[in-house]
Protein backbone atom coordinates (compact mmCIF):
# COMPACT_ATOMS: atom_id res chain seq x y z
CA UNK A 1 0.00 0.00 0.00
CA UNK A 2 0.91 3.64 -0.01
CA UNK A 3 0.03 7.10 1.22
CA UNK A 4 -0.08 9.82 -1.42
CA UNK A 5 0.35 13.33 -0.05
CA UNK A 6 0.93 16.98 -0.73
CA UNK A 7 2.02 19.67 1.72
CA UNK A 8 0.79 23.24 1.33
CA UNK A 9 1.96 26.34 3.18
CA UNK A 10 -0.64 28.24 5.21
CA UNK A 11 -0.57 31.44 7.28
CA UNK A 12 0.15 29.37 10.41
CA UNK A 13 2.48 26.74 8.98
CA UNK A 14 1.63 23.81 6.74
CA UNK A 15 -1.17 21.38 5.99
CA UNK A 16 -0.46 17.81 4.93
CA UNK A 17 -3.18 16.54 2.59
CA UNK A 18 -3.13 12.81 1.96
CA UNK A 19 -5.04 9.60 1.43
CA UNK A 20 -3.87 6.00 1.67
CA UNK A 21 -4.79 2.65 0.23
CA UNK A 22 -3.50 -0.85 1.00
CA UNK A 23 -4.27 -4.28 -0.38
CA UNK A 24 -3.48 -7.68 1.12
CA UNK A 25 -1.48 -10.20 -0.89
CA UNK A 26 -1.07 -13.96 -0.76
CA UNK A 27 2.43 -14.46 0.73
CA UNK A 28 3.05 -17.47 -1.51
CA UNK A 29 1.93 -16.05 -4.87
CA UNK A 30 1.97 -12.28 -4.41
CA UNK A 31 -1.55 -12.14 -5.84
CA UNK A 32 -4.08 -9.77 -4.28
CA UNK A 33 -6.24 -11.56 -1.73
CA UNK A 34 -9.97 -11.25 -2.39
CA UNK A 35 -11.01 -14.18 -0.16
CA UNK A 36 -9.26 -15.56 2.91
CA UNK A 37 -9.91 -18.65 5.00
CA UNK A 38 -9.53 -17.54 8.60
CA UNK A 39 -7.38 -20.22 10.31
CA UNK A 40 -8.96 -19.56 13.74
CA UNK A 41 -12.61 -19.71 12.65
CA UNK A 42 -12.19 -21.75 9.44
CA UNK A 43 -14.62 -19.31 7.80
CA UNK A 44 -13.91 -17.97 4.32
CA UNK A 45 -14.28 -14.19 4.37
CA UNK A 46 -14.08 -11.37 1.85
CA UNK A 47 -10.87 -9.35 2.16
CA UNK A 48 -11.47 -5.60 2.13
CA UNK A 49 -8.72 -3.22 1.05
CA UNK A 50 -7.75 -0.34 3.33
CA UNK A 51 -9.03 3.00 2.04
CA UNK A 52 -8.34 5.94 4.35
CA UNK A 53 -9.44 9.26 2.91
CA UNK A 54 -8.69 11.84 4.09
CA UNK A 55 -5.56 11.48 6.25
CA UNK A 56 -4.86 15.18 6.83
CA UNK A 57 -2.96 17.07 9.50
CA UNK A 58 -1.85 20.61 10.35
CA UNK A 59 1.66 21.66 11.36
CA UNK A 60 2.39 25.06 12.90
CA UNK A 61 5.49 27.00 12.15
CA UNK A 62 7.19 27.78 15.43
CA UNK A 63 6.39 31.50 15.85
CA UNK A 64 8.62 34.04 17.49
CA UNK A 65 7.81 34.52 21.20
CA UNK A 66 4.77 36.78 21.61
CA UNK A 67 3.44 36.16 18.08
CA UNK A 68 -0.32 35.39 18.16
CA UNK A 69 -1.23 31.92 16.91
CA UNK A 70 -4.17 29.57 17.36
CA UNK A 71 -1.99 26.46 17.29
CA UNK A 72 0.63 25.26 19.79
CA UNK A 73 4.31 25.18 18.99
CA UNK A 74 5.30 21.92 17.35
CA UNK A 75 8.34 20.09 18.63
CA UNK A 76 9.59 17.36 16.32
CA UNK A 77 11.50 14.65 18.17
CA UNK A 78 14.41 13.39 16.16
CA UNK A 79 17.71 11.60 16.59
CA UNK A 80 20.85 12.09 14.54
CA UNK A 81 22.52 8.77 13.74
CA UNK A 82 25.61 9.14 11.59
CA UNK A 83 24.64 11.35 8.65
CA UNK A 84 20.93 10.58 8.99
CA UNK A 85 18.04 12.23 10.79
CA UNK A 86 15.46 9.87 12.35
CA UNK A 87 12.15 11.67 12.94
CA UNK A 88 9.67 9.79 15.14
CA UNK A 89 6.05 10.32 15.94
CA UNK A 90 3.21 8.36 17.47
CA UNK A 91 -0.49 8.47 16.63
CA UNK A 92 -2.61 7.25 19.54
CA UNK A 93 -6.16 6.76 18.31
CA UNK A 94 -9.39 6.43 20.25
CA UNK A 95 -12.77 7.47 18.89
CA UNK A 96 -16.32 6.10 18.61
CA UNK A 97 -16.32 3.21 16.16
CA UNK A 98 -18.58 3.61 13.13
CA UNK A 99 -19.25 -0.13 13.57
CA UNK A 100 -21.12 -0.48 16.86
CA UNK A 101 -21.19 -3.80 18.71
CA UNK A 102 -25.00 -3.81 18.59
CA UNK A 103 -25.14 -3.41 14.80
CA UNK A 104 -21.98 -5.37 13.90
CA UNK A 105 -21.47 -8.07 16.56
CA UNK A 106 -19.22 -10.18 14.30
CA UNK A 107 -17.06 -7.28 13.12
CA UNK A 108 -16.52 -4.87 16.01
CA UNK A 109 -14.75 -5.70 19.28
CA UNK A 110 -15.83 -2.45 20.95
CA UNK A 111 -17.96 0.65 20.53
CA UNK A 112 -14.65 2.56 20.53
CA UNK A 113 -11.89 2.14 17.99
CA UNK A 114 -8.53 2.23 19.76
CA UNK A 115 -5.13 1.72 18.14
CA UNK A 116 -1.54 2.95 18.20
CA UNK A 117 0.52 3.78 15.12
CA UNK A 118 4.27 4.36 15.45
CA UNK A 119 6.34 5.96 12.70
CA UNK A 120 10.02 6.68 12.04
CA UNK A 121 11.16 8.60 8.96
CA UNK A 122 14.86 8.51 8.02
CA UNK A 123 16.67 10.84 5.65
CA UNK A 124 20.10 12.32 5.01
CA UNK A 125 20.66 15.46 7.10
CA UNK A 126 22.72 17.24 4.45
CA UNK A 127 20.06 16.71 1.77
CA UNK A 128 17.29 17.72 4.19
CA UNK A 129 19.05 21.04 4.86
CA UNK A 130 19.72 21.76 1.17
CA UNK A 131 17.31 24.54 0.11
CA UNK A 132 17.82 23.67 -3.56
CA UNK A 133 16.25 20.22 -3.06
CA UNK A 134 12.45 20.01 -3.40
CA UNK A 135 12.05 16.32 -2.46
CA UNK A 136 14.14 14.27 -0.04
CA UNK A 137 14.70 10.52 -0.39
CA UNK A 138 13.19 8.94 2.73
CA UNK A 139 12.95 5.51 4.32
CA UNK A 140 10.40 4.75 7.00
CA UNK A 141 9.08 2.23 9.48
CA UNK A 142 5.45 1.84 10.53
CA UNK A 143 4.02 -0.26 13.33
CA UNK A 144 0.42 -0.54 14.45
CA UNK A 145 -1.38 -2.34 17.26
CA UNK A 146 -5.09 -2.51 16.55
CA UNK A 147 -8.22 -4.62 16.98
CA UNK A 148 -8.99 -7.47 14.60
CA UNK A 149 -9.94 -6.15 11.17
CA UNK A 150 -13.75 -6.06 10.80
CA UNK A 151 -13.71 -8.37 7.78
CA UNK A 152 -11.95 -11.08 9.84
CA UNK A 153 -15.26 -11.57 11.74
CA UNK A 154 -13.50 -12.23 15.06
CA UNK A 155 -15.12 -9.58 17.26
CA UNK A 156 -16.10 -12.14 19.91
CA UNK A 157 -12.48 -13.28 20.43
CA UNK A 158 -9.87 -11.51 22.57
CA UNK A 159 -6.72 -10.32 20.88
CA UNK A 160 -5.14 -7.70 18.65
CA UNK A 161 -3.21 -7.39 15.42
CA UNK A 162 0.37 -6.16 15.21
CA UNK A 163 1.59 -4.63 11.95
CA UNK A 164 5.34 -4.03 11.66
CA UNK A 165 6.74 -2.93 8.33
CA UNK A 166 9.11 -0.62 6.50
CA UNK A 167 8.96 1.41 3.32
CA UNK A 168 10.38 4.28 1.35
CA UNK A 169 9.38 7.39 -0.54
CA UNK A 170 8.47 6.36 -4.08
CA UNK A 171 10.17 8.30 -6.86
CA UNK A 172 7.80 9.57 -9.53
CA UNK A 173 4.63 9.70 -7.42
CA UNK A 174 1.87 7.34 -8.50
CA UNK A 175 3.89 6.23 -11.55
CA UNK A 176 6.43 4.65 -9.15
CA UNK A 177 3.85 2.44 -7.39
CA UNK A 178 4.28 -1.34 -7.98
CA UNK A 179 2.40 -2.53 -11.07
CA UNK A 180 -0.19 -4.81 -9.40
CA UNK A 181 -1.24 -2.13 -6.92
CA UNK A 182 -1.24 0.53 -9.61
CA UNK A 183 -3.54 -1.57 -11.82
CA UNK A 184 -5.93 -2.18 -8.91
CA UNK A 185 -6.11 1.53 -8.07
CA UNK A 186 -6.64 2.56 -11.68
CA UNK A 187 -9.44 0.03 -12.12
CA UNK A 188 -11.20 0.30 -8.74
CA UNK A 189 -10.23 3.51 -6.93
CA UNK A 190 -8.74 6.07 -9.36
CA UNK A 191 -9.10 8.91 -6.83
CA UNK A 192 -6.08 7.41 -5.01
CA UNK A 193 -3.80 8.35 -7.92
CA UNK A 194 -3.58 11.90 -6.54
CA UNK A 195 -3.37 13.56 -3.15
CA UNK A 196 -6.37 15.59 -1.98
CA UNK A 197 -6.36 19.32 -2.75
CA UNK A 198 -8.44 20.54 0.23
CA UNK A 199 -8.33 19.93 4.00
Amino acid sequence: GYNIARMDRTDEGFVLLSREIMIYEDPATGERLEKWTNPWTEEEVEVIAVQNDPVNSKYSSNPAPGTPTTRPRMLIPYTKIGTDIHWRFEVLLKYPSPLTRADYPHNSQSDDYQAAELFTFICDEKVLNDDSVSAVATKMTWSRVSPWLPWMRMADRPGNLIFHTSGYKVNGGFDGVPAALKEYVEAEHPEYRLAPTHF
Side-chain angles (χ1 to χ4, degrees):
Y2 64 88
N3 175 297
I4 191 161
R6 61 182 291 132
M7 184 167 272
D8 291 338
R9 187 179 292 276
T10 67
D11 290 341
E12 293 190 335
F14 300 89
V15 291
L16 181 67
L17 307 171
S18 73
R19 54 175 59 110
E20 56 197 19
I21 190 165
M22 182 174 71
I23 61 174
Y24 298 93
E25 295 178 342
D26 184 312
T29 67
E31 297 289 321
R32 181 171 67 90
L33 281 179
E34 297 183 53
K35 301 283 186 183
W36 177 65
T37 301
N38 186 324
W40 294 282
T41 66
E42 298 182 350
E43 179 182 7
E44 185 179 72
V45 295
E46 179 184 359
V47 177
I48 299 174
V50 173
Q51 298 170 56
N52 293 329
D53 183 14
V55 185
N56 297 336
S57 53
K58 294 181 180 181
Y59 299 91
S60 298
S61 296
N62 288 332
T67 304
T69 180
T70 60
R71 299 190 60 82
R73 289 174 54 88
M74 181 176 181
L75 302 176
I76 300 175
Y78 70 90
T79 304
K80 183 176 176 182
I81 300 176
T83 60
D84 291 336
I85 295 294
H86 293 232
W87 171 44
R88 308 172 310 281
F89 73 98
E90 299 79 34
V91 180
L92 306 177
L93 301 167
K94 185 176 182 183
Y95 53 82
S97 174
L99 306 177
T100 64
R101 285 284 295 155
D103 293 333
Y104 298 93
H106 300 295
N107 311 97
S108 183
Q109 285 175 280
S110 171
D111 287 333
D112 289 323
Y113 178 82
Q114 187 168 7
E117 300 199 24
L118 313 173
F119 297 85
T120 301
F121 293 91
I122 304 163
C123 64
D124 183 278
E125 181 182 25
K126 184 177 179 181
V127 177
L128 181 64
N129 289 322
D130 185 343
D131 290 339
S132 69
V133 174
S134 61
V136 178
T138 306
K139 297 175 183 175
M140 55 87 67
T141 67
W142 172 68
S143 301
R144 181 175 79 179
V145 180
S146 72
W148 304 122
L149 296 170
W151 54 261
M152 296 172 75
R153 296 177 54 84
M154 291 179 60
D156 59 342
R157 292 171 179 251
N160 292 287
L161 291 172
I162 298 174
F163 297 76
H164 186 71
T165 188
S166 57
Y168 59 94
K169 182 174 181 177
V170 174
N171 292 323
F174 180 70
D175 288 338
V177 169
L181 181 56
K182 187 175 176 183
E183 289 171 12
Y184 170 75
V185 169
E186 288 174 330
E188 302 291 335
H189 304 286
E191 67 275 21
Y192 284 85
R193 294 177 299 178
L194 300 171
T197 57
H198 299 90
F199 196 83

